[in-house]
Amino acid sequence: MIPISPGRSRRATLAGAVCALLVAGTALTGCSEDPNEGTNGVGRLPADQIQTKAQKAAASVGTVRLHGSVQAGGRAYDLDMRLKPQGGIGSVSTEGQTFRLLRVGQELYLKADAAFWGKGGEDGDSKAADKLASKYVKVPKGDPSYTEFIGFTDKNVLLSGLLTLHGKLSTDGHHEQDGTRTVRVTGDDGAGGTLDVSLEGKPYPLRLVRAGEAGTLTFSAWGADFPLKKPAKDDTLDYGKQLPTS
């Protein structure tokens, strides 16, 4: 069931009562509330144009928060990231482990506990884990982890790959996301994914269900700036050219 705000419920009730009176008096038939009244108007557009406007709105602003789940590279990830052109910061969970990612420019840092780094394995691994635990570890550009994780901190890379539905596009009614009215676009009746687009203000994408059950993401804080800076030197560790394989 889609939650409806009390204000909208009262307006809908009043509109319904007026329509009933008018119909009863034969003054008007077919009376109904316009779901696009007072919106930005994208709900009246064809599905492909709604998707295009959402993509352009997302590209037009520098910052966003996204959180939810994605499938990538054969793994499932839970993300909660804040992104801007200069970098990003947030948390990532996969296979029962959670770590923080921080990118400033092209420098990528990873922060995790000893269990993530392999504590409990061989003596060498255990010592390395103790050394790395709870530090922002600078990820070398030549390390496989750099390529794997930097995409989670890049707004353009993430959104360009996410905000395109697959198959024939159509609209699937009006909905709400965290109290904001939306219009829903689907690809192949949902099999190609669904995208909820804001009907209030700019038509930002607010919720994405990816095709093939490849995750669900919500988008918020569009245009809201946040601090982003390199970690302090005493909280940073440069491990060298490659991180421990564990």
Side-chain angles (χ1 to χ4, degrees):
M1 180 180 293
I2 303 299
I4 302 296
S5 64
R8 290 191 63 210
S9 297
R10 286 193 291 270
R11 290 197 301 272
T13 301
L14 178 59
V18 171
C19 287
L21 287 172
L22 291 173
V23 170
T26 68
L28 182 65
T29 60
C31 184
S32 63
E33 184 183 19
D34 180 2
N36 293 298
E37 183 181 356
T39 73
N40 56 25
V42 297
R44 297 186 175 96
L45 299 176
D48 59 335
Q49 292 185 30
I50 297 174
Q51 176 180 256
T52 298
K53 282 190 172 291
Q55 292 168 337
K56 289 182 177 179
S60 72
V61 68
T63 59
V64 65
R65 177 191 176 194
L66 64 84
H67 66 281
S69 61
V70 295
Q71 297 276 347
R75 290 186 182 183
Y77 295 92
D78 290 323
L79 309 177
D80 189 351
M81 299 296 301
R82 298 290 299 270
L83 308 173
K84 62 168 58 175
Q86 299 88 344
I89 187 170
S91 64
V92 180
S93 299
T94 183
E95 297 181 352
Q97 298 287 346
T98 298
F99 53 93
R100 288 188 65 77
L101 284 178
L102 167 64
R103 180 176 66 84
V104 182
Q106 293 303 306
E107 295 186 358
L108 179 66
Y109 302 87
L110 191 156
K111 187 175 186 179
D113 60 17
F116 175 88
W117 293 113
K119 185 174 178 59
E122 300 293 333
D123 288 342
D125 289 342
S126 183
K127 290 179 181 179
D130 287 334
K131 184 179 180 180
L132 298 172
S134 300
K135 292 281 189 179
Y136 274 105
V137 179
K138 188 174 181 179
V139 182
K141 289 185 178 180
D143 190 274
S145 298
Y146 186 92
T147 303
E148 181 177 0
F149 295 140
I150 196 169
F152 291 143
T153 68
D154 192 313
K155 172 180 177 284
N156 291 335
V157 169
L158 272 176
L159 297 189
S160 64
L162 290 173
L163 297 180
T164 299
L165 303 177
H166 302 283
K168 183 180 179 181
L169 300 185
S170 58
T171 55
D172 186 28
H174 291 65
H175 302 263
E176 287 197 4
Q177 176 65 31
D178 292 332
T180 299
R181 287 178 289 174
T182 67
V183 60
R184 181 168 297 169
V185 180
T186 68
D188 281 345
D189 295 324
T194 70
L195 183 65
D196 279 46
V197 178
S198 177
L199 288 171
E200 302 176 18
K202 285 191 174 183
Y204 293 125
L206 297 184
R207 183 174 184 268
L208 170 73
V209 179
R210 301 183 70 200
E213 299 182 349
T216 299
L217 289 167
T218 60
F219 307 90
S220 60
W222 289 101
D225 199 11
F226 60 93
L228 184 69
K229 61 181 180 179
K230 295 181 182 180
K233 286 187 177 181
D234 59 359
D235 196 26
T236 306
L237 183 63
D238 190 339
Y239 199 77
K241 293 184 178 180
Q242 188 168 352
L243 301 180
T245 55
S246 60

